[in-house]
Structures are given as structure tokens and as C-alpha cells.
Amino acid sequence: MSIGKQSKTLTNKQIEIALSYLKDRRNGIRNCVIFLLSVKGGLRAKEISCLKWSMILTSERELGDVIALENSATKGNSGRILPINKTLKEYLILHREQEIQSGLSDFVIQTERSGSTSAQSIVNIFARWYRDLGFDGCSSHSGRRTFITQTARKISLVGGSLRDIQLMVGHSNLQTTQRYIEMDTTAQRRVVDLV
């Protein structure tokens, strides 16, 4: 994919706006979980639609600290263990409480008519949200690009590297991960002054 055709990344302000917008709508908690799985978990649309509770619950049926994404739920059998962001975990807990009351499905994301959903439905819902919010150039992949860009900018602060991000997002090639990272001209100017 050429740079001109990549989905735009989201700013922190856009993330706040989107969460506020989603919370106040029908299926608000579920929709926030979908959005956060993308922007705070880096999951693809297929991975969001295929995510099962068994991949995030402990043996005691409590919400764990990681997503154990199985090969069957990923692109190209790129199963992996992904730590759960604290905000995402809060929403997953709320979503699970609602799901228990309404009849828990195996899948984390379900529709009103089905116990699961499809990757295309996830793609469509992101397109509708971003259109309604006026986020031009954003798609279901914007959250994933945002996650990769934000983690790339912070990974060295915790002693990690781009290789860690590559493993978290399930890319077989480090160059693929690098293509997702949005450049920052302000940071480029600042680092030159440090040299």
C-alpha cells in the first residue's frame, strides 16, 4: 500500500471525541470496546470480529491482563499474546457484565441478531462512525495505525524496540510495521537539535 493510500491516524483529541460519541449511543459500551480494541489494542477488523472471551479470560473466568489471540482469529496465522491496555480493560469489564445479563456468547463482539459478527461488519461500522464524526481519510485500519504509531514513539521509554511492536501486532516482517508508523516532523526537528 502506498503512503498516499494509508488510513489516517487518529489524534488523542479524535480518540476522546470518538469515545464520547460512542458512549452515548445505542450499544455504547460494546461500541467503545470495538473502537478500543483497534486504537488501544491494534487489532484488525477480522481479529475484533473473531475475538472470543476464552482468549481474554483466566482459568477462573476473570478478565485477564492479556489477549491470547489464536491463529484462527488472525491474518496469516499470526496468533500472539497482547497485553490489554487499562482503558480497554475497564470497558471489557463493563461489556462482560452487560453480556452476562443478556446471555453471554462465545464471542466478545456480537450483534442484536447474532452471537457473533463479521470482519466486514466491523469495517462498515468504523466507516459509519468516522463519516458521522467527520474524520476524513479514516477507516477501520486507522486505529491499528494509531496504535502502532503511538507505541513506536514510546517503546524506547520502557526499554523495548520496534521488534516488540512487530510481535504485538502480528507482522511477519519488521518493514511492514515500519510502514504503519506516521512520521512526525516536529519530532524530527527536535531530535536534530539534540545531536
Side-chain angles (χ1 to χ4, degrees), residues 10 14 17-18 21-22 25 35 121-140 142:
L10 300 166
Q14 286 175 314
I17 290 168
Y21 164 81
L22 294 171
R25 304 187 73 76
F35 178 72
S121 294
I122 299 296
V123 169
N124 294 345
I125 201 168
F126 273 109
R128 186 173 61 245
W129 292 341
Y130 292 147
R131 183 185 61 239
D132 291 351
L133 289 166
F135 293 177
D136 294 332
C138 292
S139 75
S140 61
S142 291

Side-chain angles (χ1 to χ4, degrees), residues 13 19 29 35 64 70 89 118 127-128 135 144 156 160 190:
K13 182 69 173 170
L19 278 174
I29 298 298
F35 178 72
E70 298 171 359
K89 187 169 184 173
S118 68
R128 186 173 61 245
F135 293 177
R144 184 168 168 80
S156 66
R190 279 187 268 170

Side-chain angles (χ1 to χ4, degrees), residues 160-175:
S161 70
L162 284 181
R163 176 85 171 117
D164 295 304
I165 296 168
Q166 175 194 354
L167 295 173
M168 283 194 308
V169 298
H171 286 151
S172 59
N173 188 317
L174 186 58
Q175 289 176 336

Side-chain angles (χ1 to χ4, degrees), residues 10-162:
L10 300 166
T11 65
N12 288 334
K13 182 69 173 170
Q14 286 175 314
I15 293 169
E16 288 175 28
I17 290 168
L19 278 174
S20 178
Y21 164 81
L22 294 171
K23 268 192 268 188
D24 296 333
R25 304 187 73 76
R26 186 174 175 174
N27 300 311
I29 298 298
R30 182 206 66 184
N31 292 343
C32 287
V33 167
I34 293 170
F35 178 72
L36 290 169
L37 284 168
S38 176
V39 79
K40 298 292 185 184
L43 271 60
R44 300 173 177 100
K46 176 188 178 183
E47 294 167 343
I48 294 170
S49 69
C50 292
L51 184 65
K52 293 183 178 180
W53 286 111
S54 60
M55 297 178 199
I56 58 176
L57 296 178
T58 66
S59 58
E60 291 85 30
R61 306 289 298 161
E62 297 292 326
L63 195 66
D65 294 323
V66 297
I67 297 172
L69 207 54
E70 298 171 359
N71 284 342
S72 61
T74 65
K75 177 182 175 183
N77 291 327
S78 58
R80 58 200 182 272
I81 305 293
L82 179 67
I84 299 176
N85 168 277
K86 62 184 175 188
T87 304
L88 172 57
K89 187 169 184 173
E90 290 170 8
Y91 277 94
L92 281 167
I93 290 168
L94 293 172
H95 181 53
R96 181 159 166 75
E97 289 170 0
Q98 286 182 345
E99 292 297 299
I100 288 171
Q101 292 173 3
S102 64
L104 195 62
S105 165
D106 289 342
F107 292 91
V108 174
I109 304 302
Q110 54 184 298
T111 67
E112 293 174 356
R113 295 184 197 111
S114 174
S116 64
T117 190
S118 68
Q120 189 60 54
S121 294
I122 299 296
V123 169
N124 294 345
I125 201 168
F126 273 109
R128 186 173 61 245
W129 292 341
Y130 292 147
R131 183 185 61 239
D132 291 351
L133 289 166
F135 293 177
D136 294 332
C138 292
S139 75
S140 61
H141 230 54
S142 291
R144 184 168 168 80
R145 279 202 71 218
T146 301
F147 175 81
I148 293 169
T149 296
Q150 288 184 350
T151 53
R153 290 181 181 158
K154 296 177 182 172
I155 194 73
S156 66
L157 300 174
V158 295
S161 70
L162 284 181

